[in-house]
């Protein structure tokens, strides 16, 4: 007896033969934040040190995010390109969807993009992200995105240097020059 492959087997659930199913592997369907291809569909970006893993999943892909800011506060938005990704991020900051950008970052071949700004009004601001080379796209064209309020940043370090290991130690001059 012969058992045909599953894609052509007759089955009690179907009244006839099943059609073959085509699965496209590697097709770029986007990251977890799609749809975000225009300002009206801008996805929220939380103010925290947590990063969103994103991609320019197809050629000419554009990503939009929105964050809520408070007047008189300083903010920073960072896009970081991981090693091996061909992404080269351009970032533009808008106060309204229909307006012109109030700030931008477009430094070719930089492993990151950063905009720091002082919020003039309380409410949403919008960020448009694109790849310098619009012909490059795919799930491997990755970057991470984060935003934070700078006046809340409480990161620091205290280094105390004192004493010496032994007389005539060649590293002592390095310790003496610590400021």
């Amino acid at each position: 007896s012969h058992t045909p492959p599953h894609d052509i087997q007759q089955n009690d659930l179907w009244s006839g033969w099943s059609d073959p199913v085509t699965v496209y592997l590697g097709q770029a369907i986007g990251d977890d934040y799609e749809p975000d291809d225009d300002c009206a569909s801008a996805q929220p970006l939380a103010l925290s040190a947590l990063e969103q893993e994103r991609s320019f999943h197809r050629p000419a892909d554009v990503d939009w995010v929105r964050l809520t800011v408070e007047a008189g506060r300083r903010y920073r938005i960072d896009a970081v390109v991981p090693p091996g990704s061909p992404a080269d991020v351009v970032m533009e900051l808008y106060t309204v969807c229909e307006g012109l950008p109030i700030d931008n970052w477009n430094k070719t071949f930089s492993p990151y993009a950063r905009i720091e700004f002082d919020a003039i009004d309380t409410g949403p601001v919008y960020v448009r992200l694109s790849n310098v080379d619009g012909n490059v796209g795919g799930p491997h064209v990755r970057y991470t995105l984060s935003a934070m309020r700078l006046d809340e940043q409480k990161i620091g370090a205290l280094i105390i240097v004192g004493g010496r290991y032994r007389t005539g130690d060649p590293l002592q001059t390095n310790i003496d020059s610590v400021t």
Side-chain angles (χ1 to χ4, degrees):
S1 91
H2 170 68
T3 304
H6 176 71
D7 63 344
I8 58 171
Q9 287 182 32
Q10 192 165 16
N11 185 314
D12 290 340
L13 298 175
W14 293 286
S15 60
W17 299 95
S18 63
D19 292 329
V21 175
T22 304
V23 176
Y24 296 96
L25 298 176
Q27 289 286 52
I29 58 172
D31 53 44
D32 292 341
Y33 304 97
E34 295 293 336
D36 63 353
D37 296 335
D38 57 44
C39 190
S41 60
Q43 298 295 319
L45 179 61
L47 292 172
S48 69
L50 298 177
E51 298 173 334
Q52 293 182 351
E53 303 276 335
R54 295 175 155 269
S55 68
F56 298 120
H57 66 280
R58 60 177 164 68
D61 186 25
V62 174
D63 293 338
W64 283 84
V65 297
R66 74 176 183 282
L67 59 144
T68 303
V69 297
E70 187 179 331
R73 302 285 187 166
R74 187 156 184 80
Y75 297 88
R76 183 172 75 207
I77 305 163
D78 288 301
V80 178
V81 177
S85 171
D88 193 357
V89 178
V90 175
M91 187 185 311
E92 299 172 318
L93 181 67
Y94 294 79
T95 54
V96 293
C97 287
E98 303 80 25
L100 296 173
I102 61 167
D103 200 353
N104 68 35
W105 174 281
N106 187 0
K107 296 186 177 162
T108 307
F109 304 116
S110 175
Y112 67 91
R114 173 178 289 161
I115 292 179
E116 290 186 11
F117 67 99
D118 295 311
I120 296 171
D121 296 315
T122 296
V125 294
Y126 304 91
V127 181
R128 181 184 187 270
L129 301 119
S130 60
N131 200 18
V132 166
D133 185 351
N135 295 316
V136 175
H140 65 290
V141 186
R142 301 178 331 270
Y143 66 97
T144 59
L145 187 65
S146 63
M148 63 176 27
R149 203 166 94 183
L150 292 179
D151 56 355
E152 287 188 347
Q153 190 175 10
K154 296 189 178 14
I155 298 173
L158 173 64
I159 300 172
I160 300 174
V161 179
R164 76 174 80 177
Y165 182 64
R166 65 178 170 256
T167 304
D169 189 328
L171 296 177
Q172 187 65 43
T173 56
N174 294 346
I175 295 172
D176 289 341
S177 64
V178 173
T179 58

